[in-house]
């Protein structure tokens, strides 16, 4: 680990961490809290994906839909209107909307081949954005004079690396530059995440093999063809299985860093609270 002892972590003049885990357990809350102190640089992997690597794809998708409306088509062709994504750290809806959901096109779904093509674009973008972390660590220090750094990774980070391998180019690079911190949820958190997702299902990135199996198993279980699939019902069905699929991958990643509990995150109000919480996590790792 970058900080092998709690003492080394506490004494470090520049603290660098990466949070990972399921969306909804506090990664962005902690990162935003640190950024708000004015002493930490906040690097959002999902924001980087949605702006630097997939921004043009997202905007073109908006334009593709707008071109179906005669009024907007004329304005676009005459360069009279400008359509762009307004993605922010807190609002990643443009990225989710582009990823889409497979199933019946009359219900807002995508054909499975197009859905998988966009999943592949996201995979490449996420890997690139993760590997950009070192650049932003230097940029934060050299441009803004901010040495403390927090990387807010997406929930799908465990899908684009091989956490079980002895070496992985992305994980090796991240481990070299940051303290990897798994925010681990309890069974109660998992149940709440499923309930929350059921109320407002949103597109996500998953491994191709996992999606292929899910797509086949869902259609066999329901007795449906691809164009009969309700997109929202499919991703609800898939999400609960994805939570179980990701847990061992997160746990394997955590061997390269430390683990904190989601319930402990709720008690963190200041950067000092977090620094002490991580010191205790490192102490447990030492033991």
């Amino acid at each position: 680990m970058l900080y092998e002892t709690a003492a080394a972590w506490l004494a470090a003049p520049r603290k660098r961490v990466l949070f990972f885990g399921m969306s909804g357990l506090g990664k962005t809350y902690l990162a935003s809290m640190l950024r708000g102190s004015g002493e930490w640089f906040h690097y959002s992997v999902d924001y980087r994906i949605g702006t630097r690597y997939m921004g043009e794809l997202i905007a073109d998708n908006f334009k593709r839909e707008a071109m179906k409306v005669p009024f907007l088509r004329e304005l676009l062709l005459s360069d009279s209107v400008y359509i762009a994504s307004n993605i922010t750290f807190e609002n990643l809806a443009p990225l989710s909307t582009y990823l889409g959901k497979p199933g019946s096109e009359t219900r807002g779904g995508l054909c499975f081949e197009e859905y998988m093509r966009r999943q592949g674009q996201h995979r490449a973008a996420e890997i690139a954005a993760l590997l950009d972390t070192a650049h932003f660590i230097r940029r934060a220090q050299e441009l803004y004079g901010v040495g403390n750094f927090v990387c807010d990774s997406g929930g799908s980070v465990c899908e684009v690396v091989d956490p079980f391998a002895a070496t992985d180019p992305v994980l090796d690079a991240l481990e070299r530059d940051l303290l990897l911190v798994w925010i681990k949820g309890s069974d109660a958190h998992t149940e709440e995440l499923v309930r929350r997702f059921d109320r407002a299902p949103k597109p996500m990135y998953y491994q191709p093999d996992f999606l292929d199996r899910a797509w086949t198993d869902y259609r066999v279980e329901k007795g449906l063809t691809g164009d009969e699939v309700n997109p929202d019902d499919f991703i609800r069905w898939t999400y609960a299985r994805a939570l179980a699929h990701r847990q061992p991958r997160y746990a394997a990643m955590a061997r390269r860093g430390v683990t904190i509990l989601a319930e402990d995150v709720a008690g963190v109000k200041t950067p000092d609270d977090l620094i002490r919480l991580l010191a205790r996590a490192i102490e447990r790792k030492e033991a």
Side-chain angles (χ1 to χ4, degrees), residues 17-190:
V17 300
L18 177 147
F19 296 123
F20 67 93
M22 286 300 299
S23 297
L25 293 180
K27 298 191 304 291
T28 301
Y29 162 72
L30 290 178
S32 298
M33 180 271 295
L34 292 173
R35 182 182 74 235
S37 73
E39 298 178 351
W40 288 72
F41 185 93
H42 176 189
Y43 176 60
S44 167
V45 170
D46 281 340
Y47 180 80
R48 180 72 168 167
I49 291 170
T51 52
R52 171 65 175 84
Y53 292 108
M54 295 184 71
E56 185 175 287
L57 294 170
I58 293 168
D60 283 353
N61 193 46
F62 292 160
K63 293 172 186 176
R64 190 176 297 109
E65 293 302 313
M67 287 290 285
K68 298 175 183 178
V69 181
F71 175 72
L72 293 176
R73 177 185 173 87
E74 292 302 317
L75 292 173
L76 279 172
L77 291 175
S78 62
D79 289 328
S80 299
V81 294
Y82 175 73
I83 296 178
S85 166
N86 191 29
I87 197 168
T88 67
F89 285 3
E90 290 75 25
N91 180 16
L92 300 168
L95 177 58
S96 292
T97 299
Y98 177 75
L99 283 177
K101 311 164 189 177
S104 169
E105 294 185 33
T106 60
R107 298 183 179 183
L110 298 169
C111 73
F112 193 67
E113 290 73 20
E114 173 63 16
Y115 173 70
M116 292 299 285
R117 187 178 74 86
R118 297 187 186 191
Q119 288 275 308
Q121 292 169 341
H122 188 281
R123 177 183 178 82
E126 184 163 5
I127 290 171
L130 287 166
L131 292 174
D132 283 345
T133 304
H135 164 70
F136 276 89
I137 290 172
R138 293 191 297 271
R139 187 169 182 256
Q141 179 64 47
E142 295 170 4
L143 188 59
Y144 301 111
V146 179
N148 297 319
F149 185 94
V150 54
C151 176
D152 176 10
S153 73
S156 56
V157 61
C158 68
E159 307 275 16
V160 301
V161 300
D162 185 352
F164 305 109
T167 62
D168 177 87
V170 177
L171 282 179
D172 292 349
L174 295 173
E175 183 183 12
R176 182 177 60 247
D177 292 327
L178 307 106
L179 174 65
L180 306 188
V181 181
W182 179 24
I183 301 178
K184 182 180 180 181
S186 64
D187 290 343
H189 286 112
T190 299

Side-chain angles (χ1 to χ4, degrees), residues 192-201 232 236-237 239:
E192 176 55 29
L193 290 177
V194 171
R195 283 194 294 270
R196 190 184 308 171
F197 192 89
D198 192 61
R199 290 194 298 270
D232 283 343
R236 286 189 181 102
W237 185 92
Y239 181 74

Side-chain angles (χ1 to χ4, degrees), residues 217-254:
D217 292 348
Y218 174 86
R219 287 179 298 136
V220 169
E221 180 181 308
K222 305 289 185 179
L224 301 172
T225 61
D227 58 2
E228 293 174 330
V229 170
N230 180 320
D232 283 343
D233 188 60
F234 171 73
I235 63 170
R236 286 189 181 102
W237 185 92
T238 302
Y239 181 74
R241 287 156 180 77
L243 292 181
H245 164 75
R246 288 182 173 180
Q247 286 307 302
R249 302 186 70 83
Y250 289 139
M253 285 179 62

